[in-house]
Amino acid sequence: MTAVQPETHTDPASVTAFPTDFVWGAATAAYQVEGAATVDGRTPSIWDTFSHTPGKVRNGDTGDIAADHYHLYRDDVALMKDLGLKAYRFSISWSRVQPTGRGPAVERGLDFYRRLTDELLEAGITPVATLYHWDLPQELEDAGGWPHRETAQRFADYADIMAHGLGDRVGMWTTLNEPWCSAFLGYGSGVHAPGRTEPAATLRAAHHLNLGHGLAIGALRAALPSSAQTSITLNLHQVRPLTSSAQDADAARRIDAVGNRVFTGPILDGTYPADLLQDTAHIVDWDELVHDGDLAEISRPIDVLGVNYYSPTVVSHPADGAATTKNDGHGASDHSPWTGSDHVAFHLANDNLTAMNWAIDPSGLHTLLTDLAASHPRLPLMVTENGAAFDDYVSPEGKVNDPQRVAYLHAHLDAVRRAIADGADVRGYFLWSLLDNFEWSYGYSKRFGAVYVDYLTQRRIPKASDVIRKNALPDAV
C-alpha cells in the first residue's frame, strides 16, 4: 500500500532566495560534543549513567570525550566563521553549572559558556542557548526525575541561574529541546536515558516538562532584557495515515495526540486535547496530575517556536491478527513510546533512506511548517534541527564528499523556501549538526555533521555540504 501524500502547490521558482534577515546556523548538544565529563566540577547526568551501563549504547560508546568541544571550542568557532554561519545553537550542560540540580551555580562551569559566547560574539556569530537537551543531573533523576513534580521547579531555578549568568551575552533562549524524546523515549520505550519503561511515568514526565518549560519562561522573562527572545523546540511528527481508511485516520489522530498535541495543546493553546486525555485515561489520572494554575504557567507566550524535522511518520491500524510494524525511527525496544496507542503500526514513507533508516521526504517539512502557520498564524517559526546521517568517510585525498547530504539539504531547504512563499513566517534554519558527534544510543556509528570528526585525533574536516554562504539553496546534485 502507498501512504497518502500531502499536497503542495507552490512553484519552487517563486522564491529565488531566503529573506535577507534569515538566520543561518548549525546546532549541537552539550553531551554529544563537549566531552570533559568530569572537568571543572561537572557531575554525572542521566546520559553519563546510561551510556556507562552495558548494553545501552552501541559499542559501549560514551560521551566522556565526544568531540572535545569543551577544549576545542575556539577552533570550532573559527570553523563556524569559515563556514559562514551566522548563529550557533548550543545546549548547556545542567550538571556542569549546577551539579546536583539544586543550589548555586559552579562558576567554573558558567565560565566555559561565558568563554564560548564571547568567542562567538567576537566572530560575529549569534549565540542561541538551549537550557536542556536531555541531560538531567543524575541526582534529580535519583529523586524521581521528570515524573516528579519538583523537577519542574528545579528547572526554573536553573533557568534563573543561566539568565543571570549569560543574559548579558545571549539574546535567544530555548527552554527544552524535544521534550517528547525526554518523556517518551526516556521513560516509555527506555531507548534513551534514564532508560525507564513506565507508561504512567511517561505521561507524568510530559506534563512536568511542560510545566518546567512554563516556569522557566517566567524565570527568563523576569531576569532577561525585554529584547531577549524565548522559545521551545519540539520534534513535531508529521503524521500521515497509510491509507484513506477511517481506521488509519484514527491511528494518525492518536499518534498526533501523543506525539504532538501533548505539547502544542498546553503550550500554544492552554489546554490538553480531550482525545489525548481519553486515550490515556486508563494510564494516568490527569485531574490529579494537572494542578490548578499549571496550564496558565505552561501557556506563557513565547517569541518563536522551534521545529525539528527529519522524516514523516506514516501509521496504520493493523489488521486483526497482523503483527505491528515498528518503523517509527525511534530505536528498537520491546516497550512502546506511544503511550496509550501501542497498537498503532508504523511504516516507512518510502525506500529512500538515510543511514538512520529514516525515509527522506522533504514534503513533510513543508506541510509541517504551513500547517503550523495556518493553526498559529502569529507565531514565528524556526527550523532548529534538520539534517541527515550518511556513511561519510575520508577519501585518499583527505576530503569528505557527501553528495547525498547535499541533495538532502537542497530538497529540505527548498521545502522551507516554499513554505515561506506559502505564508509561513520561518525566521531561520539550523543544520543538525555542526560536528559529527555522540549520536545517543547509536554512539559514534552515525555521522550527521557538516564537519567530519576523526575521534582518535579530534581532527576536523569540513564536508562538501556547505550551504550557508549564499543565503540561497546549494547547487543540486
Side-chain angles (χ1 to χ4, degrees):
M1 292 186 287
T2 303
V4 177
Q5 299 294 316
E7 295 183 0
T8 57
H9 303 285
T10 305
D11 178 0
S14 63
V15 179
T16 58
F18 290 84
T20 56
D21 58 351
F22 194 79
V23 178
W24 292 98
T28 64
Y31 189 73
Q32 292 184 272
V33 299
E34 283 183 3
T38 60
V39 172
D40 289 338
R42 184 186 180 276
T43 57
S45 73
I46 55 176
W47 267 98
D48 293 274
T49 303
F50 188 81
S51 67
H52 281 268
T53 302
K56 295 297 186 181
V57 175
R58 187 171 297 184
N59 301 320
D61 293 339
T62 75
D64 289 0
I65 299 174
D68 202 20
H69 185 56
Y70 189 83
H71 295 110
L72 300 176
Y73 72 92
R74 289 187 179 90
D75 295 338
D76 291 338
V77 172
L79 260 177
M80 295 179 216
K81 185 175 182 179
D82 187 58
L83 290 171
L85 294 183
K86 302 303 181 186
Y88 176 46
R89 178 177 174 255
F90 62 95
S91 80
I92 296 156
S93 168
W94 188 347
S95 60
R96 191 179 294 286
V97 300
Q98 195 190 29
T100 66
R102 296 180 176 85
V106 171
E107 290 298 321
R108 290 173 298 170
L110 274 175
D111 284 345
F112 166 68
Y113 298 105
R114 291 176 178 134
R115 294 192 301 270
L116 171 62
T117 50
D118 286 349
E119 195 80 12
L120 289 165
L121 292 169
E122 187 175 340
I125 298 169
T126 299
V128 180
T130 298
L131 291 173
Y132 186 76
H133 198 132
W134 308 351
D135 47 356
L136 187 71
Q138 183 60 46
E139 287 200 25
L140 290 185
E141 174 59 28
D142 293 341
W146 285 110
H148 187 47
R149 186 179 179 87
E150 186 185 354
T151 305
Q153 185 57 58
R154 299 286 73 76
F155 182 63
D157 295 344
Y158 159 60
D160 178 72
I161 286 173
M162 294 311 308
H164 283 95
L166 291 183
D168 60 337
R169 295 165 167 85
V170 178
M172 299 181 69
W173 293 82
T174 299
T175 55
L176 305 170
N177 180 82
E178 299 187 346
W180 186 88
C181 294
S182 296
F184 291 85
L185 302 183
Y187 295 94
S189 65
V191 299
H192 279 191
R196 290 162 60 178
T197 54
E198 306 162 31
T202 301
L203 297 173
R204 298 184 69 85
H207 176 63
H208 294 145
L209 283 155
N210 284 333
L211 180 59
H213 155 76
L215 293 170
I217 291 291
L220 292 172
R221 280 280 166 235
L224 294 173
S226 59
S227 59
Q229 292 189 306
T230 60
S231 67
I232 186 171
T233 282
L234 304 177
N235 59 314
L236 297 174
H237 300 80
Q238 202 274 304
V239 185
R240 307 173 185 174
L242 183 67
T243 74
S244 58
S245 73
Q247 284 186 316
D248 286 0
D250 187 63
R253 176 201 63 76
R254 296 183 73 103
I255 298 307
D256 181 51
V258 77
N260 296 331
R261 290 182 286 121
V262 65
F263 297 106
T264 59
I267 292 170
L268 301 182
D269 302 319
T271 186
Y272 281 103
D275 61 329
L276 169 73
L277 303 185
Q278 182 176 349
D279 290 345
T280 57
H282 64 292
I283 297 171
V284 73
D285 182 348
W286 286 94
D287 290 334
E288 175 273 331
L289 178 59
V290 182
H291 293 194
D292 289 344
D294 282 4
L295 290 169
E297 289 284 358
I298 294 168
S299 59
R300 287 178 180 271
I302 56 176
D303 298 297
V304 180
L305 177 65
V307 178
N308 292 357
Y309 172 85
Y310 293 93
S311 184
T313 301
V314 181
V315 298
S316 70
H317 187 287
D320 291 343
T324 301
T325 55
K326 297 181 179 180
N327 287 317
D328 66 357
H330 292 302
S333 173
D334 292 333
H335 301 270
S336 173
W338 306 100
T339 307
S341 294
D342 328 23
H343 64 283
V344 173
F346 290 80
H347 310 267
L348 293 172
N350 56 57
D351 58 4
N352 185 19
L353 308 179
T354 70
M356 297 287 289
N357 288 322
W358 295 347
I360 300 173
D361 189 337
S363 70
L365 179 56
H366 174 271
T367 301
L368 191 58
L369 294 172
T370 53
D371 284 354
L372 282 166
S375 60
H376 297 87
R378 289 177 294 278
L379 180 61
L381 306 173
M382 192 167 287
V383 178
T384 39
E385 284 185 28
N386 177 241
F390 294 105
D391 295 324
D392 304 322
Y393 62 92
V394 182
S395 74
E397 296 75 32
K399 296 182 179 181
V400 181
N401 296 310
D402 53 346
Q404 290 173 296
R405 186 174 289 103
V406 173
Y408 178 99
L409 295 175
H410 184 280
H412 285 78
L413 285 167
D414 185 63
V416 175
R417 184 180 68 168
R418 291 188 293 108
I420 294 172
D422 284 344
D425 184 7
V426 185
R427 303 286 179 89
Y429 175 96
F430 287 79
L431 174 70
W432 187 267
S433 175
L434 173 67
L435 303 168
D436 289 341
N437 55 48
F438 176 83
E439 185 49 42
W440 306 115
S441 61
Y442 293 92
Y444 297 103
S445 67
K446 306 298 180 186
R447 294 182 177 271
F448 277 87
V451 176
Y452 184 95
V453 177
D454 181 331
Y455 297 113
L456 291 178
T457 65
Q458 294 299 340
R459 181 187 177 198
R460 272 75 160 139
I461 305 173
K463 301 176 187 177
S465 50
D466 176 10
V467 302
I468 302 302
R469 299 179 192 279
K470 299 178 182 178
N471 199 45
L473 295 177
D475 295 331
V477 295

